[in-house]
Amino acid sequence: MLDIKFIRENVDIVKNAIKVKGVSCDLDALLKLDEKIIANKTEVQGYQEKVNALSKQIPVASDDDKKKMVEESKNYGDKIKALEKEIEPDLKKYNALLMSVPQIPDPSVPVGADDSENVVIKTNGEITKFDFQPRDQMELTELNDWVDFDHIAKVSGARIYALKGELARLEVALHMYVLDKLAKKGFRQISCPSLCKIDALFQAGHFVGDDPSVMDNDVYKIEKDELCLAGTSEIIINALHQGEILNEDDLPVLYAGYSPCFRREAGAAGKDTRGLVRVHQFMKVEEFVICKNDIEESKKWHQVLQNSMEELCADMNIPCHVLEACTGDMGFNKIYMTDVEAWVPSQNKYREVSSTSTIGDFQARRTKLRYRENATGKVQYCHTLNSTGVATPRFLVAFIENNQNADGSVNIPEKLRPYMGGVEKIGGKK
RNA sequence: GGAAGAAUGGCAGAGUGGUUGAAUGCGACGGUCUUGAAAACCGUUUUGGGGGCAACUCCAACGGGGGUUCGAAUCCCUCUUCUUCCGCCA
Protein backbone atom coordinates (compact mmCIF):
# COMPACT_ATOMS: atom_id res chain seq x y z
CA MET A 1 0.00 0.00 0.00
CA LEU A 2 1.23 3.48 -0.84
CA ASP A 3 0.52 6.72 0.99
CA ILE A 4 -2.39 8.49 -0.69
CA LYS A 5 -0.52 11.77 -0.19
CA PHE A 6 2.43 10.37 -2.08
CA ILE A 7 0.12 9.22 -4.86
CA ARG A 8 -1.52 12.65 -5.13
CA GLU A 9 1.81 14.39 -5.36
CA ASN A 10 3.54 11.89 -7.66
CA VAL A 11 0.94 10.88 -10.17
CA ASP A 12 3.44 10.41 -13.01
CA ILE A 13 5.76 8.25 -10.98
CA VAL A 14 2.89 6.05 -9.85
CA LYS A 15 1.46 5.77 -13.34
CA ASN A 16 4.83 4.73 -14.62
CA ALA A 17 5.12 2.08 -11.93
CA ILE A 18 1.73 0.69 -12.92
CA LYS A 19 2.89 0.54 -16.51
CA VAL A 20 6.31 -1.03 -16.05
CA LYS A 21 5.03 -3.57 -13.55
CA GLY A 22 2.24 -4.52 -15.90
CA VAL A 23 -0.42 -4.05 -13.24
CA SER A 24 -3.94 -2.96 -14.04
CA CYS A 25 -4.97 -0.03 -11.88
CA ASP A 26 -7.13 2.98 -12.76
CA LEU A 27 -5.25 5.77 -11.02
CA ASP A 28 -7.41 8.56 -12.40
CA ALA A 29 -10.48 6.91 -10.94
CA LEU A 30 -8.71 6.64 -7.61
CA LEU A 31 -7.78 10.32 -7.56
CA LYS A 32 -11.28 11.36 -8.51
CA LEU A 33 -12.76 9.28 -5.71
CA ASP A 34 -10.18 10.67 -3.33
CA GLU A 35 -11.37 14.21 -4.02
CA LYS A 36 -14.99 13.24 -3.67
CA ILE A 37 -14.41 11.45 -0.39
CA ILE A 38 -12.43 14.35 1.10
CA ALA A 39 -15.21 16.77 0.17
CA ASN A 40 -17.79 14.49 1.75
CA LYS A 41 -15.68 14.07 4.85
CA THR A 42 -15.21 17.80 5.28
CA GLU A 43 -18.94 18.31 5.11
CA VAL A 44 -19.61 15.55 7.61
CA GLN A 45 -17.04 17.01 9.97
CA GLY A 46 -18.74 20.38 9.85
CA TYR A 47 -21.99 18.85 11.03
CA GLN A 48 -20.24 16.75 13.61
CA GLU A 49 -18.68 19.88 15.04
CA LYS A 50 -22.16 21.33 15.49
CA VAL A 51 -23.50 18.17 17.09
CA ASN A 52 -20.58 18.14 19.50
CA ALA A 53 -21.12 21.77 20.47
CA LEU A 54 -24.81 21.14 21.13
CA SER A 55 -24.05 18.01 23.17
CA LYS A 56 -22.04 20.14 25.53
CA GLN A 57 -24.79 22.72 25.94
CA ILE A 58 -27.78 20.38 26.24
CA PRO A 59 -27.11 19.11 29.79
CA VAL A 60 -27.03 22.66 31.22
CA ALA A 61 -29.77 24.21 29.08
CA SER A 62 -33.27 25.10 30.25
CA ASP A 63 -36.05 22.69 29.33
CA ASP A 64 -37.33 24.92 26.53
CA ASP A 65 -33.91 25.41 24.97
CA LYS A 66 -33.15 21.76 25.43
CA LYS A 67 -36.06 20.70 23.28
CA LYS A 68 -34.98 23.00 20.47
CA MET A 69 -31.37 21.94 20.69
CA VAL A 70 -32.19 18.25 20.63
CA GLU A 71 -34.31 18.87 17.56
CA GLU A 72 -31.50 20.78 15.89
CA SER A 73 -28.91 18.16 16.75
CA LYS A 74 -31.17 15.43 15.43
CA ASN A 75 -31.32 17.31 12.16
CA TYR A 76 -27.56 17.40 11.82
CA GLY A 77 -27.44 13.73 12.72
CA ASP A 78 -29.75 12.91 9.84
CA LYS A 79 -27.59 14.89 7.44
CA ILE A 80 -24.49 13.07 8.62
CA LYS A 81 -26.17 9.71 8.15
CA ALA A 82 -27.30 10.64 4.66
CA LEU A 83 -23.83 11.83 3.64
CA GLU A 84 -22.18 8.72 5.03
CA LYS A 85 -24.57 6.44 3.26
CA GLU A 86 -24.06 8.33 0.01
CA ILE A 87 -20.27 7.91 0.11
CA GLU A 88 -20.23 4.27 1.23
CA PRO A 89 -20.00 2.65 -2.23
CA ASP A 90 -17.31 5.11 -3.26
CA LEU A 91 -15.35 4.32 -0.15
CA LYS A 92 -15.40 0.65 -1.06
CA LYS A 93 -14.22 1.34 -4.59
CA TYR A 94 -11.58 3.69 -3.26
CA ASN A 95 -10.13 1.11 -0.89
CA ALA A 96 -10.04 -1.54 -3.59
CA LEU A 97 -8.27 0.85 -5.95
CA LEU A 98 -5.79 1.98 -3.32
CA MET A 99 -4.94 -1.66 -2.62
CA SER A 100 -4.23 -2.20 -6.29
CA VAL A 101 -1.57 0.52 -6.57
CA PRO A 102 1.82 -1.19 -6.80
CA GLN A 103 5.00 -0.31 -4.96
CA ILE A 104 7.31 1.97 -6.97
CA PRO A 105 10.34 0.10 -8.33
CA ASP A 106 13.77 1.54 -7.63
CA PRO A 107 14.99 3.70 -10.54
CA SER A 108 17.89 1.29 -11.03
CA VAL A 109 15.59 -1.66 -11.80
CA PRO A 110 15.72 -2.80 -15.42
CA VAL A 111 12.45 -2.28 -17.25
CA GLY A 112 11.04 -5.47 -18.72
CA ALA A 113 7.88 -7.48 -19.19
CA ASP A 114 8.76 -10.85 -17.68
CA ASP A 115 11.55 -13.05 -16.35
CA SER A 116 13.21 -13.26 -19.77
CA GLU A 117 14.30 -9.66 -19.25
CA ASN A 118 15.95 -10.16 -15.87
CA VAL A 119 19.60 -9.20 -15.84
CA VAL A 120 22.53 -11.26 -14.58
CA ILE A 121 24.65 -9.00 -12.39
CA LYS A 122 27.09 -11.45 -10.90
CA THR A 123 28.37 -14.97 -11.42
CA ASN A 124 30.06 -16.98 -8.68
CA GLY A 125 32.16 -20.09 -9.29
CA GLU A 126 32.93 -22.09 -12.40
CA ILE A 127 30.31 -24.34 -13.91
CA THR A 128 30.83 -27.79 -12.42
CA LYS A 129 32.85 -30.11 -14.71
CA PHE A 130 32.62 -33.88 -14.53
CA ASP A 131 34.98 -36.51 -15.96
CA PHE A 132 32.03 -38.88 -16.15
CA GLN A 133 28.46 -38.70 -17.36
CA PRO A 134 26.68 -36.94 -14.48
CA ARG A 135 23.28 -38.15 -13.34
CA ASP A 136 20.27 -35.92 -12.94
CA GLN A 137 18.36 -35.55 -9.69
CA MET A 138 15.90 -38.31 -10.58
CA GLU A 139 18.63 -40.83 -11.34
CA LEU A 140 20.54 -39.94 -8.21
CA THR A 141 17.57 -40.16 -5.90
CA GLU A 142 16.39 -43.39 -7.51
CA LEU A 143 19.79 -45.02 -7.34
CA ASN A 144 20.13 -44.20 -3.67
CA ASP A 145 16.47 -44.69 -2.77
CA TRP A 146 16.35 -41.18 -1.37
CA VAL A 147 12.89 -40.07 -2.45
CA ASP A 148 9.50 -41.71 -2.66
CA PHE A 149 7.25 -40.23 -5.32
CA ASP A 150 5.10 -43.21 -6.32
CA HIS A 151 3.78 -44.52 -3.05
CA ILE A 152 3.32 -41.11 -1.54
CA ALA A 153 1.34 -40.00 -4.59
CA LYS A 154 -1.29 -42.55 -3.64
CA VAL A 155 -1.35 -41.13 -0.15
CA SER A 156 -1.06 -37.41 -0.83
CA GLY A 157 -1.30 -36.78 -4.59
CA ALA A 158 0.87 -35.21 -7.25
CA ARG A 159 3.87 -32.92 -6.67
CA ILE A 160 4.31 -34.55 -3.29
CA TYR A 161 7.42 -36.40 -2.20
CA ALA A 162 8.89 -38.10 0.79
CA LEU A 163 12.59 -37.69 1.44
CA LYS A 164 14.25 -40.79 2.80
CA GLY A 165 17.44 -41.89 4.47
CA GLU A 166 20.56 -39.81 4.00
CA LEU A 167 18.82 -37.21 1.87
CA ALA A 168 16.26 -36.62 4.61
CA ARG A 169 19.15 -36.12 7.01
CA LEU A 170 20.85 -33.81 4.56
CA GLU A 171 17.75 -31.65 4.45
CA VAL A 172 17.75 -31.17 8.20
CA ALA A 173 21.51 -30.60 8.22
CA LEU A 174 21.23 -27.81 5.66
CA HIS A 175 18.54 -26.05 7.63
CA MET A 176 20.58 -26.31 10.81
CA TYR A 177 23.64 -25.02 8.98
CA VAL A 178 21.79 -21.97 7.68
CA LEU A 179 20.05 -21.30 11.00
CA ASP A 180 23.40 -21.44 12.79
CA LYS A 181 24.96 -18.99 10.37
CA LEU A 182 22.02 -16.62 10.71
CA ALA A 183 22.09 -16.85 14.49
CA LYS A 184 25.70 -15.71 14.40
CA LYS A 185 24.62 -12.70 12.34
CA GLY A 186 22.03 -11.73 14.94
CA PHE A 187 18.90 -13.25 13.40
CA ARG A 188 16.41 -14.54 15.95
CA GLN A 189 15.12 -17.97 15.10
CA ILE A 190 11.38 -18.35 14.98
CA SER A 191 9.50 -21.53 14.21
CA CYS A 192 6.40 -20.32 12.46
CA PRO A 193 2.96 -21.75 11.98
CA SER A 194 1.87 -22.28 8.41
CA LEU A 195 -1.79 -21.63 9.15
CA CYS A 196 -2.82 -18.03 8.86
CA LYS A 197 -5.82 -15.84 8.26
CA ILE A 198 -6.56 -14.35 4.87
CA ASP A 199 -5.82 -10.88 6.25
CA ALA A 200 -2.21 -11.84 6.81
CA LEU A 201 -1.84 -12.74 3.13
CA PHE A 202 -3.01 -9.32 2.06
CA GLN A 203 -0.90 -7.58 4.64
CA ALA A 204 2.13 -9.19 3.03
CA GLY A 205 1.04 -7.64 -0.26
CA HIS A 206 1.77 -10.53 -2.58
CA PHE A 207 -1.52 -10.12 -4.39
CA VAL A 208 -2.92 -7.24 -6.38
CA GLY A 209 -6.04 -5.64 -4.95
CA ASP A 210 -8.06 -6.84 -2.00
CA ASP A 211 -10.12 -9.59 -3.58
CA PRO A 212 -9.52 -13.03 -2.03
CA SER A 213 -10.20 -14.76 -5.36
CA VAL A 214 -7.01 -13.37 -6.89
CA MET A 215 -4.95 -15.77 -4.88
CA ASP A 216 -6.93 -18.87 -5.77
CA ASN A 217 -4.14 -20.29 -7.91
CA ASP A 218 -1.47 -19.93 -5.29
CA VAL A 219 -2.89 -20.56 -1.87
CA TYR A 220 -4.40 -23.52 -0.08
CA LYS A 221 -7.51 -22.54 1.79
CA ILE A 222 -9.20 -24.37 4.61
CA GLU A 223 -12.69 -23.05 4.06
CA LYS A 224 -14.24 -24.52 7.16
CA ASP A 225 -11.92 -22.67 9.47
CA GLU A 226 -11.32 -19.66 7.24
CA LEU A 227 -7.61 -20.28 7.34
CA CYS A 228 -4.93 -20.54 4.70
CA LEU A 229 -1.65 -22.40 4.47
CA ALA A 230 1.08 -19.84 4.05
CA GLY A 231 3.46 -20.22 1.11
CA THR A 232 6.21 -18.66 3.20
CA SER A 233 6.79 -17.63 6.80
CA GLU A 234 7.28 -14.09 5.46
CA ILE A 235 3.51 -13.82 5.67
CA ILE A 236 3.40 -14.81 9.31
CA ILE A 237 6.40 -12.75 10.42
CA ASN A 238 5.23 -9.68 8.57
CA ALA A 239 1.86 -9.80 10.31
CA LEU A 240 3.40 -10.61 13.68
CA HIS A 241 4.03 -7.00 14.66
CA GLN A 242 0.88 -5.47 13.23
CA GLY A 243 -0.31 -2.32 14.93
CA GLU A 244 2.85 -1.84 16.95
CA ILE A 245 4.90 1.29 17.40
CA LEU A 246 8.47 0.20 18.10
CA ASN A 247 11.29 2.29 19.48
CA GLU A 248 14.00 3.21 17.01
CA ASP A 249 16.46 1.44 19.32
CA ASP A 250 14.57 -1.83 18.80
CA LEU A 251 15.54 -1.77 15.11
CA PRO A 252 16.61 -3.61 13.15
CA VAL A 253 14.53 -6.66 14.04
CA LEU A 254 16.06 -9.73 12.39
CA TYR A 255 14.20 -13.00 12.09
CA ALA A 256 15.15 -16.40 10.78
CA GLY A 257 11.76 -18.00 10.26
CA TYR A 258 11.53 -21.74 9.90
CA SER A 259 8.35 -23.38 8.64
CA PRO A 260 6.71 -25.73 6.19
CA CYS A 261 5.52 -23.80 3.13
CA PHE A 262 2.56 -24.64 0.92
CA ARG A 263 1.91 -23.72 -2.70
CA ARG A 264 -0.90 -24.90 -4.91
CA GLU A 265 1.14 -24.31 -8.09
CA ALA A 266 -2.12 -24.38 -10.04
CA GLY A 267 -0.74 -21.87 -12.53
CA ALA A 268 2.33 -23.99 -13.13
CA ALA A 269 0.80 -26.96 -14.91
CA GLY A 270 3.43 -28.76 -16.94
CA LYS A 271 6.36 -26.95 -15.36
CA ASP A 272 8.93 -29.05 -13.51
CA THR A 273 6.47 -31.86 -13.05
CA ARG A 274 9.13 -34.42 -12.23
CA GLY A 275 11.39 -34.29 -9.25
CA LEU A 276 11.99 -31.98 -6.37
CA VAL A 277 12.07 -28.55 -8.01
CA ARG A 278 8.43 -27.50 -7.86
CA VAL A 279 6.41 -29.13 -5.11
CA HIS A 280 3.33 -28.39 -3.02
CA GLN A 281 5.02 -28.48 0.33
CA PHE A 282 8.55 -27.70 1.34
CA MET A 283 10.66 -26.53 4.28
CA LYS A 284 12.14 -23.08 4.27
CA VAL A 285 14.34 -20.87 6.37
CA GLU A 286 13.17 -17.35 5.68
CA GLU A 287 15.14 -14.24 6.53
CA PHE A 288 13.03 -11.27 7.49
CA VAL A 289 14.28 -7.79 8.37
CA ILE A 290 12.39 -4.89 9.90
CA CYS A 291 14.47 -1.72 9.72
CA LYS A 292 14.27 2.06 9.69
CA ASN A 293 12.45 3.99 7.00
CA ASP A 294 15.59 4.67 5.03
CA ILE A 295 16.20 3.31 1.56
CA GLU A 296 19.98 3.24 2.10
CA GLU A 297 19.50 1.14 5.22
CA SER A 298 17.23 -1.17 3.24
CA LYS A 299 19.80 -1.52 0.48
CA LYS A 300 22.43 -2.46 3.03
CA TRP A 301 20.25 -5.23 4.41
CA HIS A 302 19.34 -6.39 0.92
CA GLN A 303 23.03 -7.10 0.32
CA VAL A 304 23.34 -8.95 3.63
CA LEU A 305 20.37 -11.16 2.74
CA GLN A 306 21.45 -11.80 -0.82
CA ASN A 307 24.99 -12.57 0.32
CA SER A 308 23.78 -15.23 2.68
CA MET A 309 22.59 -17.40 -0.21
CA GLU A 310 25.70 -16.65 -2.24
CA GLU A 311 27.74 -17.79 0.75
CA LEU A 312 25.68 -20.92 1.16
CA CYS A 313 26.23 -21.85 -2.49
CA ALA A 314 29.95 -21.22 -2.14
CA ASP A 315 30.11 -23.27 1.07
CA MET A 316 28.28 -26.13 -0.66
CA ASN A 317 30.39 -26.04 -3.83
CA ILE A 318 27.49 -24.91 -5.96
CA PRO A 319 28.09 -22.39 -8.76
CA CYS A 320 25.49 -19.66 -8.85
CA HIS A 321 24.66 -16.35 -10.35
CA VAL A 322 22.63 -13.36 -9.23
CA LEU A 323 19.80 -11.85 -11.25
CA GLU A 324 18.26 -8.46 -10.97
CA ALA A 325 14.54 -8.92 -11.51
CA CYS A 326 13.06 -6.58 -14.09
CA THR A 327 9.99 -4.46 -13.36
CA GLY A 328 7.55 -6.96 -14.86
CA ASP A 329 8.88 -9.91 -12.88
CA MET A 330 9.58 -8.38 -9.51
CA GLY A 331 6.16 -8.50 -7.94
CA PHE A 332 3.49 -6.07 -6.97
CA ASN A 333 4.83 -5.02 -3.58
CA LYS A 334 8.54 -4.70 -4.28
CA ILE A 335 11.07 -1.93 -4.80
CA TYR A 336 13.97 -4.14 -5.70
CA MET A 337 14.42 -7.86 -6.06
CA THR A 338 17.36 -10.12 -6.75
CA ASP A 339 17.31 -13.85 -7.25
CA VAL A 340 20.16 -16.24 -6.69
CA GLU A 341 20.10 -19.11 -9.16
CA ALA A 342 22.14 -22.24 -8.61
CA TRP A 343 23.73 -24.27 -11.37
CA VAL A 344 21.84 -27.44 -12.21
CA PRO A 345 24.12 -29.58 -14.41
CA SER A 346 21.45 -31.87 -15.83
CA GLN A 347 19.37 -28.92 -17.05
CA ASN A 348 22.48 -27.08 -18.18
CA LYS A 349 21.18 -23.92 -16.62
CA TYR A 350 20.83 -21.94 -13.43
CA ARG A 351 17.65 -22.44 -11.41
CA GLU A 352 16.23 -20.13 -8.78
CA VAL A 353 17.05 -21.10 -5.21
CA SER A 354 16.45 -17.81 -3.44
CA SER A 355 14.84 -14.46 -3.84
CA THR A 356 15.65 -11.30 -1.90
CA SER A 357 13.18 -8.43 -1.81
CA THR A 358 13.26 -4.84 -0.68
CA ILE A 359 9.70 -3.90 0.16
CA GLY A 360 10.09 -0.40 1.60
CA ASP A 361 7.13 0.60 3.76
CA PHE A 362 4.58 -1.18 1.58
CA GLN A 363 3.95 -4.05 4.00
CA ALA A 364 4.39 -1.90 7.11
CA ARG A 365 1.61 0.37 5.92
CA ARG A 366 -0.69 -2.60 5.62
CA THR A 367 0.27 -3.99 9.02
CA LYS A 368 0.50 -0.51 10.60
CA LEU A 369 3.97 -1.34 11.88
CA ARG A 370 5.76 1.84 12.88
CA TYR A 371 8.57 3.11 15.07
CA ARG A 372 9.29 6.33 16.92
CA GLU A 373 12.27 8.26 15.62
CA ASN A 374 14.74 9.18 18.36
CA ALA A 375 15.77 12.53 16.92
CA THR A 376 12.33 13.92 16.14
CA GLY A 377 9.88 11.84 18.19
CA LYS A 378 7.98 11.35 14.95
CA VAL A 379 6.29 8.09 14.08
CA GLN A 380 7.45 6.45 10.85
CA TYR A 381 6.53 3.31 8.99
CA CYS A 382 9.19 0.60 9.17
CA HIS A 383 10.84 -0.90 6.12
CA THR A 384 10.74 -4.66 5.60
CA LEU A 385 12.88 -7.06 3.58
CA ASN A 386 12.78 -10.79 3.11
CA SER A 387 14.89 -13.46 1.55
CA THR A 388 15.21 -17.19 1.25
CA GLY A 389 17.72 -18.62 3.73
CA VAL A 390 17.39 -22.05 2.22
CA ALA A 391 14.42 -23.92 0.78
CA THR A 392 14.39 -27.67 0.45
CA PRO A 393 14.01 -29.92 -1.41
CA ARG A 394 14.68 -27.48 -4.27
CA PHE A 395 18.13 -26.60 -2.98
CA LEU A 396 18.91 -30.31 -2.65
CA VAL A 397 18.62 -30.73 -6.43
CA ALA A 398 21.53 -28.38 -7.06
CA PHE A 399 23.34 -29.83 -4.07
CA ILE A 400 23.31 -33.47 -5.10
CA GLU A 401 23.84 -32.83 -8.81
CA ASN A 402 26.87 -30.60 -8.29
CA ASN A 403 28.45 -32.73 -5.59
CA GLN A 404 27.92 -36.14 -7.21
CA ASN A 405 30.55 -38.77 -7.98
CA ALA A 406 30.73 -41.36 -10.77
CA ASP A 407 29.38 -44.09 -8.49
CA GLY A 408 26.26 -42.07 -7.68
CA SER A 409 27.46 -41.01 -4.26
CA VAL A 410 27.35 -37.38 -3.20
CA ASN A 411 30.14 -35.53 -1.42
CA ILE A 412 29.33 -33.63 1.72
CA PRO A 413 31.21 -30.34 1.65
CA GLU A 414 33.58 -29.91 4.57
CA LYS A 415 31.61 -27.16 6.28
CA LEU A 416 28.46 -29.25 6.39
CA ARG A 417 30.11 -32.39 7.77
CA PRO A 418 29.72 -31.42 11.44
CA TYR A 419 25.96 -31.37 10.79
CA MET A 420 26.05 -34.78 9.09
CA GLY A 421 27.80 -36.73 11.80
CA GLY A 422 31.15 -36.14 10.13
CA VAL A 423 30.51 -38.23 7.01
CA GLU A 424 32.35 -37.22 3.83
CA LYS A 425 29.87 -38.62 1.40
CA ILE A 426 26.48 -40.25 1.21
CA GLY A 427 24.99 -42.86 -1.11
CA GLY A 428 26.72 -44.59 -3.99
CA LYS A 429 26.52 -48.07 -5.47
CA LYS A 430 27.06 -50.77 -2.92
C1' G B 1 -16.50 -29.35 21.98
C1' G B 2 -19.09 -27.16 26.79
C1' A B 3 -19.26 -23.08 30.73
C1' A B 4 -17.89 -18.36 32.73
C1' G B 5 -15.20 -13.84 32.51
C1' A B 6 -12.35 -10.12 30.04
C1' A B 7 -10.29 -6.58 26.01
C1' U B 8 -9.06 1.20 27.84
C1' G B 9 -2.69 5.20 26.20
C1' G B 10 4.65 2.42 26.20
C1' C B 11 3.00 -0.75 30.70
C1' A B 12 -0.33 -1.33 35.00
C1' G B 13 -5.14 0.31 35.98
C1' A B 14 -9.82 3.70 37.13
C1' G B 15 -13.96 5.03 34.68
C1' U B 16 -21.46 2.01 33.52
C1' G B 17 -25.10 7.81 29.13
C1' G B 18 -23.39 14.50 28.99
C1' U B 19 -16.92 19.74 28.63
C1' U B 20 -13.64 12.04 29.53
C1' G B 21 -8.92 11.96 24.60
C1' A B 22 -9.74 9.67 29.06
C1' A B 23 -8.20 9.77 36.76
C1' U B 24 -4.06 7.53 39.24
C1' G B 25 0.56 4.84 39.40
C1' C B 26 4.95 3.15 36.78
C1' G B 27 8.16 4.06 32.80
C1' A B 28 10.26 7.69 29.37
C1' C B 29 11.72 12.76 28.34
C1' G B 30 12.77 18.06 29.90
C1' G B 31 13.79 21.16 34.16
C1' U B 32 14.98 22.76 39.52
C1' C B 33 18.43 21.25 43.29
C1' U B 34 23.65 18.72 43.26
C1' U B 35 30.86 18.71 41.97
C1' G B 36 28.29 14.28 39.71
C1' A B 37 24.55 10.70 40.66
C1' A B 38 20.36 9.27 43.61
C1' A B 39 16.19 11.21 46.19
C1' A B 40 12.67 15.08 46.18
C1' C B 41 9.90 18.67 43.54
C1' C B 42 7.84 20.99 38.81
C1' G B 43 6.52 20.11 33.79
C1' U B 44 5.86 17.13 29.19
C1' U B 45 4.31 12.44 27.33
C1' U B 46 -1.57 8.49 21.87
C1' U B 47 -2.43 8.13 16.80
C1' G B 48 -4.76 9.24 12.10
C1' G B 49 -7.17 12.89 9.18
C1' G B 50 -9.34 17.99 7.52
C1' G B 51 -8.46 23.52 7.30
C1' G B 52 -4.56 27.53 7.94
C1' C B 53 1.82 30.84 5.80
C1' A B 54 1.57 30.47 10.96
C1' A B 55 0.00 30.83 16.06
C1' C B 56 -3.74 27.55 15.88
C1' U B 57 -8.22 24.98 15.01
C1' C B 58 -11.72 21.14 13.86
C1' C B 59 -13.00 15.77 13.19
C1' A B 60 -12.21 10.56 14.36
C1' A B 61 -10.45 6.52 17.44
C1' C B 62 -11.23 3.10 24.53
C1' G B 63 -10.15 -5.02 20.39
C1' G B 64 -12.94 -4.93 14.90
C1' G B 65 -17.77 -4.04 12.59
C1' G B 66 -22.90 -2.64 13.18
C1' G B 67 -27.06 -0.61 16.16
C1' U B 68 -29.85 2.43 20.05
C1' U B 69 -29.50 7.85 21.47
C1' C B 70 -29.80 14.83 20.64
C1' G B 71 -25.21 12.72 22.89
C1' A B 72 -21.66 6.18 23.80
C1' A B 73 -15.32 4.02 26.64
C1' U B 74 -20.15 3.44 29.23
C1' C B 75 -26.43 0.30 26.64
C1' C B 76 -27.62 -3.64 22.61
C1' C B 77 -26.03 -7.10 18.49
C1' U B 78 -22.06 -9.50 16.05
C1' C B 79 -17.08 -10.95 15.02
C1' U B 80 -12.08 -11.57 16.81
C1' U B 81 -8.69 -12.40 20.61
C1' C B 82 -7.26 -13.60 25.58
C1' U B 83 -7.98 -15.81 30.64
C1' U B 84 -10.10 -19.55 33.93
C1' C B 85 -12.73 -24.24 34.59
C1' C B 86 -14.44 -28.99 32.24
C1' G B 87 -13.61 -32.51 28.08
C1' C B 88 -10.02 -34.39 24.44
C1' C B 89 -4.91 -34.82 23.10
C1' A B 90 1.11 -35.24 20.56
Side-chain angles (χ1 to χ4, degrees):
Chain A
M1 190 162 86
L2 296 186
D3 185 1
I4 184 66
K5 272 191 205 156
F6 176 88
I7 297 174
R8 283 184 206 135
E9 287 161 16
N10 298 279
V11 175
D12 291 342
I13 293 176
V14 177
K15 278 191 175 168
N16 185 57
I18 291 167
K19 193 178 133 199
V20 296
K21 279 197 170 175
V23 176
S24 103
C25 170
D26 189 345
L27 201 66
D28 292 324
L30 176 69
L31 292 167
K32 226 173 167 176
L33 281 171
D34 178 42
E35 266 178 48
K36 194 173 169 190
I37 287 164
I38 294 268
N40 177 284
K41 210 178 188 177
T42 307
E43 203 178 344
V44 167
Q45 284 186 5
Y47 292 130
Q48 260 159 352
E49 189 178 342
K50 287 178 176 159
V51 170
N52 287 344
L54 283 170
S55 302
K56 282 176 188 170
Q57 290 166 22
I58 286 171
V60 293
S62 68
D63 282 356
D64 265 10
D65 289 348
K66 206 178 257 181
K67 240 180 197 166
K68 265 188 246 163
M69 285 173 168
V70 166
E71 204 47 47
E72 196 184 344
S73 180
K74 214 172 188 172
N75 236 316
Y76 290 131
D78 291 344
K79 283 183 179 163
I80 290 170
K81 262 184 198 158
L83 281 167
E84 281 177 341
K85 190 147 201 181
E86 188 190 313
I87 205 72
E88 205 175 297
D90 289 324
L91 221 47
K92 250 190 192 146
K93 271 187 246 165
Y94 170 85
N95 283 328
L97 279 167
L98 188 61
M99 291 291 269
S100 68
V101 179
Q103 175 64 290
I104 313 294
D106 192 79
S108 69
V109 173
V111 174
D114 54 44
D115 58 0
S116 67
E117 295 184 74
N118 294 342
V119 177
V120 176
I121 54 169
K122 195 175 179 185
T123 303
N124 298 338
E126 297 286 316
I127 284 172
T128 313
K129 298 241 165 34
F130 299 95
D131 51 12
F132 56 92
Q133 179 60 41
R135 295 175 169 89
D136 71 10
Q137 54 151 330
M138 293 302 289
E139 292 169 312
L140 283 169
T141 56
E142 252 165 59
L143 177 93
N144 292 301
D145 189 25
W146 278 341
V147 185
D148 182 324
F149 290 109
D150 299 338
H151 297 92
I152 206 71
K154 288 176 195 155
V155 181
S156 307
R159 286 197 196 275
I160 309 278
Y161 60 93
L163 297 185
K164 297 194 285 185
E166 295 152 313
L167 195 66
R169 284 188 65 81
L170 179 62
E171 176 183 49
V172 177
L174 271 168
H175 286 290
M176 271 308 293
Y177 181 79
V178 171
L179 286 168
D180 265 7
K181 276 193 98 161
L182 288 173
K184 281 180 194 139
K185 291 179 187 171
F187 286 74
R188 183 133 203 261
Q189 189 170 334
I190 177 166
S191 287
C192 287
S194 301
L195 288 167
C196 68
K197 298 183 182 180
I198 292 175
D199 277 356
L201 292 164
F202 283 102
Q203 285 172 332
H206 291 203
F207 310 101
V208 179
D210 65 347
D211 173 10
S213 70
V214 303
M215 58 185 201
D216 277 357
N217 278 350
D218 298 317
V219 181
Y220 284 104
K221 273 190 255 178
I222 300 164
E223 299 283 354
K224 191 177 171 193
D225 299 294
E226 288 179 23
L227 288 169
C228 297
L229 290 169
T232 163
S233 60
E234 173 198 344
I235 287 162
I236 280 79
I237 299 172
N238 177 59
L240 209 55
H241 290 283
Q242 62 191 96
E244 291 183 21
I245 299 178
L246 305 172
N247 293 316
E248 185 175 331
D249 297 336
D250 297 334
L251 301 175
V253 179
L254 311 175
Y255 280 114
Y258 183 55
S259 77
C261 302
F262 296 86
R263 307 212 176 162
R264 286 189 70 240
E265 300 288 358
K271 272 189 213 167
D272 305 310
T273 47
R274 273 164 57 81
L276 297 170
V277 171
R278 194 176 296 275
V279 290
H280 286 313
Q281 176 177 347
F282 57 96
M283 292 301 295
K284 181 152 70 85
V285 174
E286 176 80 355
E287 298 152 359
F288 195 92
V289 174
I290 302 167
C291 71
K292 285 192 277 190
N293 190 305
D294 173 9
I295 191 67
E296 291 311 314
E297 173 102 357
S298 272
K299 282 182 177 172
K300 194 189 89 190
W301 282 109
H302 190 106
Q303 280 313 307
V304 171
L305 298 183
Q306 179 192 306
N307 287 349
S308 89
M309 180 49 83
E310 291 184 64
E311 281 167 29
L312 179 65
C313 287
D315 292 350
M316 299 304 136
N317 302 326
I318 300 170
C320 70
H321 70 191
V322 183
L323 288 177
E324 220 167 51
C326 74
T327 53
D329 189 42
M330 72 189 312
F332 174 69
N333 59 350
K334 296 171 188 183
I335 290 176
Y336 182 64
M337 170 169 127
T338 53
D339 287 353
V340 174
E341 295 189 329
W343 179 250
V344 178
S346 66
Q347 299 187 10
N348 202 35
K349 63 180 177 189
Y350 292 94
R351 295 297 309 259
E352 181 186 328
V353 287
S354 110
S355 186
T356 306
S357 300
T358 296
I359 306 290
D361 61 9
F362 195 91
Q363 290 177 332
R365 281 183 185 280
R366 290 194 175 187
T367 54
K368 297 192 171 63
L369 170 56
R370 293 165 291 177
Y371 69 99
R372 198 177 300 280
E373 236 174 27
N374 284 337
T376 60
K378 271 177 65 180
V379 172
Q380 299 265 21
Y381 285 100
C382 297
H383 275 196
T384 59
L385 298 97
N386 63 81
S387 182
T388 317
V390 67
T392 57
R394 185 179 280 192
F395 190 83
L396 295 173
V397 173
F399 186 104
I400 61 174
E401 286 203 19
N402 282 287
N403 286 294
Q404 65 177 297
N405 300 308
D407 65 352
S409 64
V410 170
N411 296 327
I412 301 299
E414 213 173 315
K415 287 187 175 168
L416 193 63
R417 285 178 202 161
Y419 296 84
M420 284 292 286
V423 301
E424 292 177 19
K425 62 178 174 178
I426 54 174
K429 286 179 198 158
K430 297 285 165 337

